[in-house]
Amino acid sequence: MTFAELAVVVGVEIAAAGASGAVVRVASIEDATADAVVFAVDAKALAAALASRAGAILVSAKVLVEEAPADARVLTVRDARYAFALAGRALKAGAGTGGVHTSAVIG
């Protein structure tokens, strides 16, 4: 899913200048790559997420982000854990599309 589609799933309106690229999986901050979404519920986790390669970062609104640099990857949500679960469910649902049908004959 695109960054904009992720924003819709988690209930955030974003400016057109938001991050670009596809998000295809959820990940821990330590294992995040550009195609992953992570979450942060406190300042320490936010700092780690901003330093990671994550393509999208869900941040709880209660986290003070005043000192955080502007980052197009950040989506501020009411509850980052819940938004992360929504994102995971949406990504899992989309994972079943495409593929090879069980009746396909190859070769």
Side-chain angles (χ1 to χ4, degrees):
M1 84 177 45
T2 66
F3 185 82
E5 291 167 336
L6 173 64
V8 170
V9 167
V10 300
V12 175
E13 292 184 25
I14 61 168
S20 61
V23 176
V24 298
R25 65 188 186 94
V26 295
S28 67
I29 292 172
E30 298 79 16
D31 294 329
T33 56
D35 64 351
V37 58
V38 300
F39 73 96
V41 295
D42 57 37
K44 182 178 177 181
L46 176 58
L50 289 169
S52 77
R53 294 178 36 212
I57 304 168
L58 303 172
V59 181
S60 292
K62 67 181 180 178
V63 176
L64 297 176
V65 294
E66 296 169 355
E67 295 182 26
D71 194 311
R73 302 174 298 161
V74 172
L75 291 171
T76 304
V77 295
R78 182 174 180 194
D79 181 343
R81 283 188 179 99
Y82 180 69
F84 188 71
L86 291 175
R89 183 174 64 184
L91 289 166
K92 182 178 179 184
T97 60
V100 177
H101 191 273
T102 56
S103 66
V105 177
I106 301 174

